[in-house]
Short mmCIF file of all heavy atoms in Angstrom, two decimals:
data_model
loop_
_atom_site.label_atom_id
_atom_site.label_comp_id
_atom_site.label_asym_id
_atom_site.label_seq_id
_atom_site.Cartn_x
_atom_site.Cartn_y
_atom_site.Cartn_z
N PRO A 2 50.60 -49.21 -27.47
CA PRO A 2 50.19 -50.17 -26.44
C PRO A 2 48.80 -50.72 -26.69
O PRO A 2 47.93 -50.03 -27.23
CB PRO A 2 50.23 -49.35 -25.16
CG PRO A 2 50.02 -47.94 -25.61
CD PRO A 2 50.69 -47.84 -26.96
N GLY A 64 46.12 -65.82 6.83
CA GLY A 64 46.09 -64.91 7.97
C GLY A 64 46.53 -65.64 9.23
O GLY A 64 46.57 -66.88 9.26
N THR A 127 33.38 -58.24 -11.88
CA THR A 127 32.89 -59.27 -12.80
C THR A 127 33.53 -59.11 -14.17
O THR A 127 33.98 -60.09 -14.78
CB THR A 127 31.35 -59.19 -12.91
OG1 THR A 127 30.76 -59.42 -11.63
CG2 THR A 127 30.83 -60.23 -13.89
N ASP A 156 21.65 -70.98 -17.67
CA ASP A 156 22.69 -72.03 -17.64
C ASP A 156 24.08 -71.43 -17.53
O ASP A 156 25.04 -72.14 -17.17
CB ASP A 156 22.61 -72.88 -18.92
CG ASP A 156 21.36 -73.74 -18.97
OD1 ASP A 156 20.74 -73.95 -17.91
OD2 ASP A 156 21.00 -74.19 -20.08
N ASP A 187 20.96 -73.23 -3.25
CA ASP A 187 20.90 -74.69 -3.11
C ASP A 187 20.30 -75.35 -4.35
O ASP A 187 20.88 -76.27 -4.94
CB ASP A 187 20.05 -75.07 -1.89
CG ASP A 187 20.72 -74.75 -0.55
OD1 ASP A 187 21.94 -74.57 -0.54
OD2 ASP A 187 19.99 -74.69 0.46
N ALA A 263 50.23 -57.55 8.03
CA ALA A 263 50.37 -58.13 9.36
C ALA A 263 49.93 -57.17 10.48
O ALA A 263 49.19 -57.57 11.38
CB ALA A 263 51.82 -58.59 9.58
N PRO A 306 13.12 -43.74 -0.01
CA PRO A 306 12.88 -45.01 0.69
C PRO A 306 13.67 -45.02 1.99
O PRO A 306 14.86 -44.66 2.01
CB PRO A 306 13.40 -46.06 -0.29
CG PRO A 306 13.29 -45.40 -1.64
CD PRO A 306 13.61 -43.95 -1.39
N SER A 337 23.13 -42.98 -10.85
CA SER A 337 23.56 -43.68 -12.06
C SER A 337 24.97 -44.24 -11.94
O SER A 337 25.36 -45.12 -12.71
CB SER A 337 23.47 -42.75 -13.27
OG SER A 337 24.26 -41.58 -13.05
N ASP A 363 20.44 -27.40 4.29
CA ASP A 363 20.05 -26.03 3.90
C ASP A 363 20.44 -25.77 2.45
O ASP A 363 19.66 -25.19 1.67
CB ASP A 363 20.73 -25.01 4.82
CG ASP A 363 20.15 -25.02 6.23
OD1 ASP A 363 19.02 -25.50 6.41
OD2 ASP A 363 20.85 -24.54 7.15
#
Side-chain angles (χ1 to χ4, degrees):
T127 299
D156 291 342
D187 289 342
S337 57
D363 289 340

